[in-house]
Coordinates of all heavy atoms in Angstrom, one line a residue:
M10 N 0.8 -1.2 0.0 CA 0.0 0.0 0.0 C 0.9 1.2 0.0 O 1.8 1.3 0.8 CB -0.9 0.0 1.3 CG -2.2 0.5 1.0 SD -3.0 0.7 2.6 CE -4.4 -0.3 2.3
V11 N 0.6 2.2 -0.8 CA 1.3 3.4 -0.9 C 0.4 4.6 -0.4 O -0.7 4.7 -0.8 CB 1.8 3.7 -2.4 CG1 2.5 5.1 -2.4 CG2 2.7 2.6 -2.8
S12 N 1.0 5.4 0.4 CA 0.2 6.5 1.0 C 0.8 7.8 0.6 O 2.0 8.0 0.8 CB 0.1 6.3 2.5 OG -0.3 7.5 3.1
N13 N 0.1 8.7 0.2 CA 0.5 10.1 -0.1 C 0.0 11.0 1.1 O -1.2 11.0 1.3 CB 0.0 10.7 -1.4 CG 0.6 10.0 -2.6 OD1 1.7 9.4 -2.5 ND2 0.0 10.1 -3.7
S14 N 0.9 11.7 1.7 CA 0.4 12.5 2.8 C 0.6 14.0 2.4 O 1.6 14.3 1.7 CB 1.2 12.3 4.1 OG 2.4 12.8 4.1
T15 N -0.3 14.8 2.8 CA -0.3 16.2 2.4 C -0.3 17.0 3.7 O -1.1 16.7 4.6 CB -1.5 16.6 1.6 OG1 -1.5 15.8 0.4 CG2 -1.5 18.0 1.2
A16 N 0.5 18.0 3.8 CA 0.5 18.8 5.0 C -0.4 20.0 4.8 O -0.4 20.6 3.7 CB 1.9 19.3 5.3
V17 N -1.1 20.3 5.8 CA -2.1 21.5 5.7 C -1.6 22.5 6.7 O -1.5 22.2 7.9 CB -3.5 21.0 6.0 CG1 -4.4 22.3 6.0 CG2 -4.0 20.0 4.9
V18 N -1.4 23.7 6.3 CA -1.0 24.8 7.2 C -2.1 25.7 7.3 O -2.6 26.2 6.3 CB 0.3 25.5 6.7 CG1 0.7 26.6 7.6 CG2 1.4 24.5 6.6
V19 N -2.5 26.0 8.5 CA -3.6 26.9 8.8 C -3.1 28.1 9.7 O -2.5 27.8 10.7 CB -4.8 26.2 9.5 CG1 -5.9 27.2 9.8 CG2 -5.3 25.0 8.6
D20 N -3.3 29.3 9.2 CA -3.0 30.5 10.0 C -4.2 30.9 10.8 O -5.3 31.0 10.2 CB -2.6 31.7 9.2 CG -1.2 31.4 8.5 OD1 -0.4 30.7 9.2 OD2 -1.0 31.9 7.4
I21 N -4.1 31.0 12.1 CA -5.2 31.4 13.0 C -4.8 32.6 13.7 O -4.1 32.6 14.7 CB -5.6 30.3 14.0 CG1 -5.9 29.0 13.2 CG2 -6.7 30.7 14.8 CD1 -6.2 27.8 14.1
P22 N -5.2 33.8 13.3 CA -4.8 35.0 14.0 C -5.7 35.2 15.2 O -6.9 34.9 15.2 CB -5.1 36.1 13.0 CG -6.1 35.6 12.1 CD -5.9 34.1 12.0
L23 N -5.0 35.5 16.3 CA -5.7 35.7 17.6 C -5.7 37.2 17.9 O -4.8 37.9 17.6 CB -5.0 34.9 18.7 CG -5.0 33.4 18.5 CD1 -4.2 32.8 19.7 CD2 -6.4 32.8 18.5
I24 N -6.8 37.6 18.6 CA -6.9 39.0 19.0 C -6.8 39.0 20.5 O -7.5 38.2 21.2 CB -8.3 39.6 18.6 CG1 -8.4 39.6 17.1 CG2 -8.5 40.9 19.2 CD1 -9.8 39.9 16.6
A25 N -5.9 39.8 21.0 CA -5.7 39.9 22.5 C -7.0 40.5 23.1 O -7.6 41.4 22.6 CB -4.5 40.8 22.8
V26 N -7.4 40.0 24.2 CA -8.5 40.5 25.0 C -8.0 41.5 26.0 O -7.2 41.2 26.8 CB -9.3 39.3 25.7 CG1 -10.4 39.9 26.6 CG2 -9.8 38.3 24.7
V27 N -8.6 42.7 25.9 CA -8.2 43.8 26.8 C -9.1 43.7 28.0 O -10.4 43.7 27.8 CB -8.3 45.1 26.1 CG1 -8.0 46.3 27.0 CG2 -7.3 45.2 24.9
T28 N -8.6 43.7 29.2 CA -9.4 43.7 30.4 C -8.9 44.8 31.3 O -7.8 45.3 31.2 CB -9.4 42.4 31.1 OG1 -8.1 42.1 31.5 CG2 -9.9 41.3 30.2
A29 N -9.8 45.1 32.2 CA -9.4 46.2 33.2 C -10.0 45.8 34.6 O -10.8 44.9 34.7 CB -10.0 47.5 32.8
T30 N -9.6 46.5 35.6 CA -10.2 46.4 36.9 C -11.1 47.6 37.1 O -10.7 48.8 36.9 CB -9.1 46.4 38.0 OG1 -8.3 45.2 37.8 CG2 -9.7 46.3 39.4
V31 N -12.3 47.4 37.6 CA -13.3 48.4 37.9 C -13.4 48.4 39.4 O -13.8 47.4 40.0 CB -14.6 48.2 37.2 CG1 -15.6 49.2 37.7 CG2 -14.5 48.2 35.7
S32 N -13.1 49.5 40.1 CA -13.1 49.5 41.5 C -13.5 50.9 42.0 O -13.5 51.9 41.2 CB -11.8 49.2 42.1 OG -10.8 50.1 41.7
G33 N -13.9 51.0 43.2 CA -14.3 52.3 43.8 C -14.6 52.2 45.3 O -14.4 51.1 45.9
T34 N -15.1 53.2 45.9 CA -15.4 53.3 47.3 C -16.8 53.8 47.4 O -17.2 54.8 46.8 CB -14.4 54.2 48.0 OG1 -13.1 53.8 47.8 CG2 -14.7 54.2 49.5
V35 N -17.6 53.1 48.3 CA -19.0 53.5 48.5 C -19.0 54.3 49.8 O -18.4 53.9 50.8 CB -19.9 52.3 48.7 CG1 -21.3 52.7 48.9 CG2 -19.8 51.3 47.5
T36 N -19.5 55.5 49.7 CA -19.6 56.4 50.8 C -21.0 57.0 51.1 O -21.8 57.0 50.2 CB -18.6 57.6 50.6 OG1 -19.0 58.3 49.4 CG2 -17.2 57.2 50.5
D37 N -21.2 57.4 52.3 CA -22.5 58.1 52.7 C -22.4 59.5 52.1 O -21.4 60.2 52.5 CB -22.6 58.0 54.2 CG -23.9 58.7 54.7 OD1 -24.1 59.9 54.4 OD2 -24.7 58.0 55.4
T38 N -23.4 59.9 51.3 CA -23.3 61.3 50.7 C -23.4 62.4 51.8 O -22.8 63.4 51.6 CB -24.4 61.5 49.7 OG1 -25.6 61.2 50.2 CG2 -24.1 60.6 48.5
A39 N -24.0 62.1 52.9 CA -24.2 63.1 53.9 C -22.9 63.3 54.8 O -22.6 64.4 55.1 CB -25.4 62.8 54.8
T40 N -22.3 62.2 55.1 CA -21.1 62.3 56.0 C -19.8 62.1 55.3 O -18.8 62.5 55.9 CB -21.2 61.2 57.1 OG1 -21.1 59.9 56.5 CG2 -22.6 61.3 57.9
G41 N -19.8 61.5 54.1 CA -18.6 61.2 53.4 C -17.9 60.0 53.9 O -16.8 59.6 53.4
K42 N -18.4 59.3 54.9 CA -17.8 58.1 55.5 C -18.0 56.9 54.6 O -19.1 56.7 54.0 CB -18.3 57.9 56.9 CG -17.9 58.9 57.9 CD -18.3 58.6 59.3 CE -17.9 59.7 60.3 NZ -18.2 59.4 61.7
A43 N -17.0 56.0 54.6 CA -17.1 54.8 53.9 C -18.2 53.9 54.4 O -18.3 53.8 55.7 CB -15.7 54.1 53.9
L44 N -18.8 53.1 53.6 CA -19.9 52.2 54.0 C -19.4 50.8 53.7 O -19.1 50.4 52.6 CB -21.2 52.5 53.3 CG -21.9 53.8 53.6 CD1 -23.1 54.0 52.7 CD2 -22.3 53.9 55.0
A45 N -19.4 50.0 54.8 CA -19.1 48.5 54.7 C -20.3 47.7 54.4 O -21.4 48.0 54.9 CB -18.3 48.1 55.9
G46 N -20.2 46.6 53.7 CA -21.3 45.7 53.5 C -22.3 46.1 52.4 O -23.4 45.5 52.4
V47 N -21.9 47.0 51.6 CA -22.8 47.4 50.5 C -22.7 46.4 49.4 O -21.6 46.0 48.9 CB -22.5 48.8 50.0 CG1 -23.4 49.2 48.8 CG2 -22.6 49.9 51.1
A48 N -23.9 46.0 48.9 CA -23.9 45.0 47.7 C -23.7 45.9 46.5 O -24.5 46.8 46.2 CB -25.2 44.3 47.7
V49 N -22.7 45.5 45.7 CA -22.4 46.3 44.4 C -22.5 45.3 43.3 O -21.9 44.2 43.3 CB -21.0 46.9 44.5 CG1 -20.8 47.7 43.2 CG2 -20.9 47.8 45.7
Q50 N -23.3 45.6 42.3 CA -23.4 44.8 41.1 C -22.8 45.5 39.9 O -22.9 46.7 39.7 CB -24.9 44.6 40.7 CG -25.6 43.8 41.7 CD -27.1 43.7 41.3 OE1 -27.6 44.5 40.6 NE2 -27.8 42.6 41.9
L51 N -22.0 44.8 39.1 CA -21.6 45.2 37.8 C -22.6 44.7 36.8 O -22.7 43.4 36.7 CB -20.2 44.8 37.5 CG -19.6 45.2 36.1 CD1 -19.3 46.7 36.1 CD2 -18.4 44.4 35.8
R52 N -23.2 45.5 36.0 CA -24.3 45.1 35.1 C -24.0 45.5 33.7 O -23.4 46.6 33.4 CB -25.6 45.7 35.6 CG -26.0 45.3 37.0 CD -27.2 46.1 37.5 NE -28.4 45.8 36.8 CZ -29.3 45.0 37.3 NH1 -29.1 44.3 38.4 NH2 -30.4 44.8 36.6
S53 N -24.4 44.7 32.8 CA -24.4 45.0 31.3 C -25.8 44.9 30.9 O -26.4 43.8 30.8 CB -23.5 43.9 30.6 OG -23.5 44.2 29.2
G54 N -26.4 46.0 30.6 CA -27.9 46.1 30.4 C -28.6 45.6 31.6 O -28.3 46.1 32.7
N55 N -29.5 44.6 31.5 CA -30.2 44.1 32.6 C -29.6 42.9 33.2 O -30.1 42.3 34.2 CB -31.7 43.7 32.2 CG -32.5 45.0 31.9 OD1 -32.3 46.0 32.5 ND2 -33.4 44.9 30.9
T56 N -28.4 42.5 32.7 CA -27.7 41.3 33.1 C -26.7 41.6 34.2 O -25.8 42.5 34.0 CB -27.0 40.6 32.0 OG1 -28.0 40.3 31.0 CG2 -26.3 39.3 32.4
V57 N -26.7 40.9 35.3 CA -25.7 41.1 36.4 C -24.5 40.3 36.0 O -24.6 39.1 35.8 CB -26.2 40.6 37.8 CG1 -25.1 40.7 38.8 CG2 -27.4 41.4 38.2
V58 N -23.4 41.0 35.8 CA -22.1 40.3 35.3 C -21.4 39.8 36.5 O -21.0 38.6 36.5 CB -21.3 41.3 34.5 CG1 -19.9 40.7 34.1 CG2 -22.0 41.8 33.3
L59 N -21.2 40.6 37.5 CA -20.5 40.2 38.8 C -21.1 41.0 39.9 O -21.7 42.0 39.8 CB -19.0 40.6 38.7 CG -18.1 39.8 37.7 CD1 -16.8 40.4 37.5 CD2 -18.0 38.4 38.1
T60 N -20.9 40.4 41.1 CA -21.3 41.1 42.4 C -20.1 41.1 43.3 O -19.2 40.3 43.3 CB -22.5 40.4 43.0 OG1 -22.1 39.1 43.4 CG2 -23.7 40.4 42.1
D61 N -20.1 42.1 44.2 CA -19.1 42.3 45.3 C -19.8 42.9 46.4 O -20.8 43.5 46.3 CB -17.9 43.1 44.8 CG -16.7 43.0 45.7 OD1 -16.6 42.0 46.5 OD2 -15.8 43.8 45.6
T62 N -19.1 42.9 47.6 CA -19.6 43.5 48.8 C -18.5 44.4 49.2 O -17.3 44.0 49.3 CB -20.0 42.5 49.9 OG1 -21.0 41.7 49.4 CG2 -20.5 43.2 51.1
S63 N -18.8 45.7 49.5 CA -17.8 46.6 49.9 C -17.2 46.2 51.3 O -17.9 45.7 52.2 CB -18.3 48.1 50.0 OG -19.3 48.1 51.0
G64 N -15.9 46.4 51.4 CA -15.1 46.0 52.6 C -15.3 47.1 53.7 O -16.0 48.0 53.6
S65 N -14.6 46.9 54.8 CA -14.7 47.8 55.9 C -14.3 49.2 55.6 O -14.7 50.2 56.2 CB -13.8 47.3 57.1 OG -12.5 47.2 56.7
D66 N -13.5 49.3 54.5 CA -13.1 50.7 54.0 C -14.0 51.2 52.9 O -13.7 52.2 52.3 CB -11.6 50.6 53.5 CG -11.4 49.5 52.4 OD1 -12.4 48.8 52.1 OD2 -10.3 49.3 52.0
G67 N -15.1 50.5 52.6 CA -16.0 50.9 51.6 C -15.6 50.5 50.2 O -16.3 50.8 49.2
V68 N -14.5 49.8 50.0 CA -13.9 49.5 48.7 C -14.6 48.2 48.1 O -14.7 47.3 48.8 CB -12.4 49.4 48.7 CG1 -11.8 48.9 47.4 CG2 -11.8 50.7 49.1
F69 N -14.8 48.3 46.8 CA -15.3 47.1 46.0 C -14.4 47.0 44.8 O -13.7 48.0 44.4 CB -16.8 47.2 45.6 CG -17.0 48.4 44.7 CD1 -16.9 48.2 43.3 CD2 -17.3 49.6 45.1 CE1 -17.1 49.2 42.4 CE2 -17.5 50.7 44.2 CZ -17.4 50.5 42.9
S70 N -14.3 45.9 44.2 CA -13.5 45.7 43.0 C -13.9 44.6 42.1 O -14.3 43.5 42.6 CB -12.0 45.4 43.5 OG -11.2 45.3 42.4
F71 N -13.9 44.8 40.8 CA -14.2 43.8 39.8 C -13.0 43.7 38.9 O -12.6 44.7 38.3 CB -15.4 44.1 39.0 CG -16.7 44.3 39.9 CD1 -17.2 45.6 40.1 CD2 -17.3 43.2 40.4 CE1 -18.3 45.8 40.9 CE2 -18.5 43.4 41.1 CZ -19.0 44.7 41.4
E72 N -12.4 42.5 38.8 CA -11.2 42.3 38.0 C -11.5 41.6 36.6 O -12.5 40.9 36.5 CB -10.2 41.5 38.7 CG -9.7 42.2 40.0 CD -8.7 41.4 40.7 OE1 -8.3 40.3 40.3 OE2 -8.2 41.9 41.8
K73 N -10.6 41.8 35.7 CA -10.7 41.2 34.4 C -12.0 41.5 33.6 O -12.7 40.6 33.1 CB -10.5 39.7 34.5 CG -9.1 39.3 35.0 CD -8.9 37.8 35.0 CE -7.5 37.5 35.6 NZ -7.2 36.1 35.8
I74 N -12.4 42.7 33.6 CA -13.6 43.2 33.0 C -13.2 43.6 31.5 O -12.3 44.4 31.3 CB -14.2 44.4 33.7 CG1 -14.4 44.1 35.2 CG2 -15.5 44.9 33.1 CD1 -15.2 42.8 35.4
E75 N -14.0 43.0 30.6 CA -13.7 43.3 29.2 C -14.2 44.7 28.8 O -15.1 45.2 29.4 CB -14.3 42.2 28.3 CG -13.7 40.9 28.5 CD -14.2 39.8 27.5 OE1 -14.9 40.1 26.6 OE2 -13.9 38.6 27.8
V76 N -13.7 45.2 27.7 CA -14.1 46.5 27.2 C -15.6 46.5 26.9 O -16.2 45.5 26.4 CB -13.4 46.7 25.8 CG1 -13.9 48.0 25.1 CG2 -11.9 46.9 26.1
G77 N -16.3 47.6 27.3 CA -17.7 47.7 27.1 C -18.3 48.7 28.1 O -17.6 49.3 28.9
D78 N -19.6 48.9 27.9 CA -20.3 49.8 28.7 C -21.1 49.1 29.8 O -21.7 48.0 29.5 CB -21.3 50.7 27.9 CG -20.6 51.6 26.9 OD1 -19.6 52.1 27.3 OD2 -21.1 51.7 25.8
Y79 N -21.0 49.5 31.0 CA -21.6 48.9 32.2 C -22.3 49.9 33.1 O -22.1 51.1 32.9 CB -20.5 48.2 33.0 CG -19.7 47.1 32.3 CD1 -18.5 47.5 31.6 CD2 -20.1 45.8 32.2 CE1 -17.8 46.5 30.9 CE2 -19.4 44.8 31.5 CZ -18.3 45.2 30.9 OH -17.6 44.2 30.2
S80 N -23.0 49.4 34.0 CA -23.5 50.2 35.1 C -23.1 49.5 36.4 O -23.0 48.3 36.5 CB -25.1 50.4 35.0 OG -25.7 49.2 35.2
L81 N -22.9 50.3 37.4 CA -22.6 49.8 38.8 C -23.9 50.2 39.6 O -24.3 51.3 39.6 CB -21.4 50.5 39.4 CG -20.1 50.2 38.7 CD1 -19.0 51.2 39.0 CD2 -19.6 48.8 39.0
R82 N -24.3 49.2 40.3 CA -25.6 49.4 41.2 C -25.2 49.0 42.6 O -24.8 47.9 42.9 CB -26.7 48.5 40.6 CG -28.0 48.7 41.4 CD -29.0 47.8 40.7 NE -30.3 48.0 41.4 CZ -31.4 47.5 41.1 NH1 -31.5 46.8 40.0 NH2 -32.5 47.7 41.8
A83 N -25.4 50.0 43.5 CA -25.1 49.8 44.9 C -26.4 49.8 45.7 O -27.2 50.7 45.5 CB -24.1 50.8 45.4
S84 N -26.5 48.8 46.6 CA -27.7 48.8 47.4 C -27.3 48.4 48.9 O -26.5 47.6 49.1 CB -28.8 47.8 46.9 OG -28.3 46.5 46.8
F85 N -28.0 49.0 49.8 CA -27.7 48.9 51.2 C -28.9 49.2 52.0 O -29.6 50.2 51.8 CB -26.5 49.8 51.6 CG -25.9 49.5 52.9 CD1 -25.4 48.3 53.2 CD2 -25.7 50.5 53.8 CE1 -24.7 48.0 54.4 CE2 -25.1 50.3 55.1 CZ -24.6 49.1 55.4
T86 N -29.2 48.4 53.0 CA -30.4 48.6 53.9 C -30.3 50.0 54.5 O -29.3 50.4 55.0 CB -30.4 47.6 55.0 OG1 -30.5 46.3 54.4 CG2 -31.7 47.7 55.9
G87 N -31.5 50.7 54.4 CA -31.6 52.1 54.9 C -31.1 53.2 54.0 O -31.2 54.3 54.3
Y88 N -30.7 52.8 52.8 CA -30.3 53.8 51.7 C -31.0 53.5 50.4 O -31.4 52.4 50.2 CB -28.8 53.6 51.5 CG -27.9 54.1 52.6 CD1 -27.6 53.3 53.7 CD2 -27.3 55.4 52.6 CE1 -26.8 53.7 54.7 CE2 -26.5 55.8 53.6 CZ -26.3 55.0 54.7 OH -25.5 55.5 55.7
R89 N -31.1 54.5 49.6 CA -31.7 54.4 48.3 C -30.7 53.7 47.4 O -29.5 53.9 47.5 CB -32.0 55.7 47.7 CG -33.2 56.4 48.3 CD -33.5 57.6 47.5 NE -34.6 58.3 48.2 CZ -34.7 59.6 48.3 NH1 -33.8 60.4 47.7 NH2 -35.7 60.2 49.0
T90 N -31.1 52.8 46.5 CA -30.3 52.1 45.6 C -29.8 53.2 44.6 O -30.5 54.0 44.1 CB -31.0 51.0 44.8 OG1 -31.4 50.0 45.8 CG2 -30.1 50.3 43.8
K91 N -28.5 53.1 44.3 CA -27.9 54.1 43.4 C -27.2 53.3 42.2 O -26.5 52.3 42.4 CB -26.8 54.9 44.1 CG -26.0 55.9 43.3 CD -26.8 57.1 43.0 CE -25.9 58.1 42.3 NZ -26.5 59.4 42.1
S92 N -27.4 53.8 41.0 CA -26.7 53.3 39.8 C -25.9 54.4 39.1 O -26.4 55.5 39.1 CB -27.7 52.7 38.8 OG -28.3 51.6 39.4
V93 N -24.7 54.0 38.6 CA -23.9 54.9 37.9 C -23.3 54.2 36.6 O -23.2 53.0 36.7 CB -22.7 55.5 38.7 CG1 -23.2 56.4 39.8 CG2 -21.8 54.5 39.2
N94 N -23.1 54.9 35.6 CA -22.6 54.3 34.4 C -21.1 54.2 34.4 O -20.4 55.1 35.0 CB -23.0 55.0 33.1 CG -24.5 54.9 32.9 OD1 -25.1 53.9 33.2 ND2 -25.2 56.0 32.4
A95 N -20.5 53.2 33.8 CA -19.0 53.1 33.7 C -18.7 52.5 32.3 O -19.4 51.6 31.8 CB -18.5 52.2 34.8
S96 N -17.6 53.0 31.7 CA -17.2 52.5 30.4 C -15.7 52.0 30.6 O -14.9 52.7 31.2 CB -17.2 53.6 29.3 OG -18.5 53.9 29.0
V97 N -15.5 50.8 30.1 CA -14.1 50.2 30.1 C -13.7 50.3 28.7 O -14.3 49.8 27.7 CB -14.1 48.7 30.6 CG1 -12.8 48.1 30.4 CG2 -14.6 48.6 32.0
T98 N -12.6 51.0 28.4 CA -12.0 51.2 27.1 C -10.7 50.6 27.0 O -10.0 50.4 27.9 CB -11.9 52.7 26.8 OG1 -11.1 53.4 27.8 CG2 -13.3 53.4 26.8
G99 N -10.3 50.3 25.7 CA -9.0 49.6 25.5 C -7.9 50.7 25.5 O -8.1 51.8 25.2
G100 N -6.7 50.2 25.8 CA -5.5 50.9 25.8 C -5.5 52.2 25.1 O -5.1 53.2 25.1

């Protein structure tokens, strides 16, 4: 039996994924003091992408977030829920 083999070369270009960290501090607007235990959502449209809870210093953080438009929604017992827009852009 005789076999002919053929090599196939395929170029597959890859695109680097640009990501960023989205972080901030939740504070009481009246006193300016940091609020611990605030539920913070990172949302894309109506979809919750990630959630975090602010630490004792009021800080929250979302890592490896892809380029796009998002909203941050913070909610805490005794306070009105607040949403702000955020855009992650490439280099």
Side-chain angles (χ1 to χ4, degrees):
M10 214 189 240
V11 176
S12 165
N13 290 339
S14 77
T15 304
V17 176
V18 177
V19 179
D20 289 327
I21 304 174
L23 298 178
I24 299 172
V26 176
V27 177
T28 62
T30 298
V31 175
S32 61
T34 305
V35 183
T36 58
D37 181 302
T38 56
T40 66
K42 292 185 179 183
L44 294 174
V47 177
V49 182
Q50 297 177 336
L51 179 72
R52 301 169 67 96
S53 177
N55 291 326
T56 303
V57 176
V58 177
L59 291 169
T60 60
D61 193 17
T62 303
S63 64
S65 60
D66 54 0
V68 173
F69 65 89
S70 182
F71 301 106
E72 296 181 1
K73 298 182 181 175
I74 306 305
E75 293 185 14
V76 170
D78 294 323
Y79 299 91
S80 64
L81 294 164
R82 183 176 180 175
S84 58
F85 192 55
T86 303
Y88 290 81
R89 290 187 183 142
T90 298
K91 175 79 175 187
S92 293
V93 296
N94 293 325
S96 291
V97 175
T98 58

